[in-house]
Amino acid sequence: MTQLGHFTTPVDAVVSRMRALDAALPERDGVAVFNRVYRSVTEEVDRRLDAGEFPDPRAAIALDVRFAERYLAAVDAAAADRRPPACWRPLFQLRRHPGVRPLQFALAGINAHIGHDLALAVVDACRTLDCEPLDLEDEFDRVGDILVSLEERVREDLMPGPDLLQIADPLTHLLGSWSLERARDAAWAAARALWALRHCGEVAEEFTERLDRAVGFAGRMLLTPLTE
């Protein structure tokens, strides 16, 4: 359990919420697939916070929690029959499609969360901490490194075996066009742009909306059904 001084941090509440979702959702549900992956990332951040691997734990916690809140807000919106952000809609719409493989669900969720939510979470954390994005760069990089290290494991765990070669061939082609590292770099650039535009009203709103739609389009491609 992560602690800052003598106080339990909000990271624990986030992990608890993800565990509750794991227990409530069917294993094959696309949101459940992503949730398991993201829970493991958050637990790893939690462990590294405990180990003192973040130079500024307060900043790391703020970024991690604001990041998770974006995903959990999308889950809540879908559960209440409200429209989640465009970046999340493909996953929620296709979560039970029999032609979409688990690896596609996992990476579509990662695409939405990194491509859209991470940039906005940096801005949220900067407002919470009264700092600039550059002040969070170390924490951003450390969290990003955890995500990148887990991506390979996710691919290995969820890639179909040789007995599903006809599925795996188009799957390999489809997913080879997407890179978490490129998505992370784009998220950092978007975060800095959003921070620079934070007082620009309609311009900032339009930038955010276009980012949301673009990430949603990529997610729709990642979730292309490969078999019925």
Side-chain angles (χ1 to χ4, degrees):
M1 179 177 291
T2 301
Q3 295 185 332
L4 184 62
H6 299 292
F7 299 97
T8 300
T9 74
V11 176
D12 300 302
V14 166
V15 172
S16 294
R17 178 75 194 282
M18 292 178 187
R19 289 174 178 165
L21 284 170
D22 277 345
L25 294 173
E27 183 178 356
R28 182 62 177 77
D29 182 283
V31 176
V33 173
F34 168 71
N35 189 77
R36 289 193 294 273
V37 172
Y38 188 33
R39 191 197 74 197
S40 69
V41 170
T42 307
E43 289 172 340
E44 180 64 13
V45 171
D46 200 24
R47 186 193 68 77
R48 296 191 188 192
L49 281 163
D50 274 343
E53 295 183 20
F54 287 91
D56 187 346
R58 180 169 174 262
I61 290 168
L63 178 58
D64 189 53
V65 171
R66 295 294 174 269
F67 189 30
E69 286 174 345
R70 291 275 172 182
Y71 159 62
L72 294 173
V75 170
D76 289 342
D81 291 326
R82 291 182 281 107
R83 282 165 65 86
C87 62
W88 285 107
R89 285 175 209 156
L91 180 60
F92 285 104
Q93 290 167 354
L94 296 170
R95 62 193 295 177
R96 298 181 182 89
H97 196 296
V100 179
R101 308 302 300 175
L103 179 58
Q104 292 174 266
F105 288 134
L107 294 187
I110 294 172
N111 169 71
H113 205 36
I114 300 296
H116 174 265
D117 293 355
L118 184 54
L120 274 63
V122 170
V123 174
D124 292 342
C126 285
R127 288 175 172 149
T128 297
L129 299 168
D130 192 22
C131 69
E132 301 279 329
L134 287 177
D135 296 322
L136 297 179
E137 188 169 14
D138 285 345
E139 287 68 33
F140 180 95
D141 287 341
R142 287 172 185 270
V143 171
D145 288 344
I146 294 171
L147 289 161
V148 170
S149 70
L150 285 172
E151 183 193 15
E152 183 176 350
R153 193 177 80 191
V154 168
R155 288 177 183 265
E156 290 175 355
D157 289 349
L158 297 180
M159 180 66 80
D163 56 322
L164 295 176
L165 186 59
Q166 289 185 334
I167 296 172
D169 277 348
L171 182 62
T172 301
H173 176 75
L174 178 67
L175 301 178
S177 63
W178 187 86
S179 162
L180 192 150
E181 288 197 54
R182 289 197 299 269
R184 182 181 66 168
D185 291 344
W188 180 245
R192 296 186 65 184
L194 281 168
W195 186 252
L197 294 170
R198 67 191 184 281
H199 300 307
C200 295
E202 291 183 4
V203 176
E205 185 176 339
E206 182 178 353
F207 183 95
T208 303
E209 183 178 344
R210 288 180 180 273
L211 175 66
D212 189 20
R213 290 180 178 177
V215 173
F217 179 78
R220 182 77 59 181
M221 297 301 101
L222 286 169
L223 292 172
T224 300
L226 301 179
T227 183
E228 294 295 335

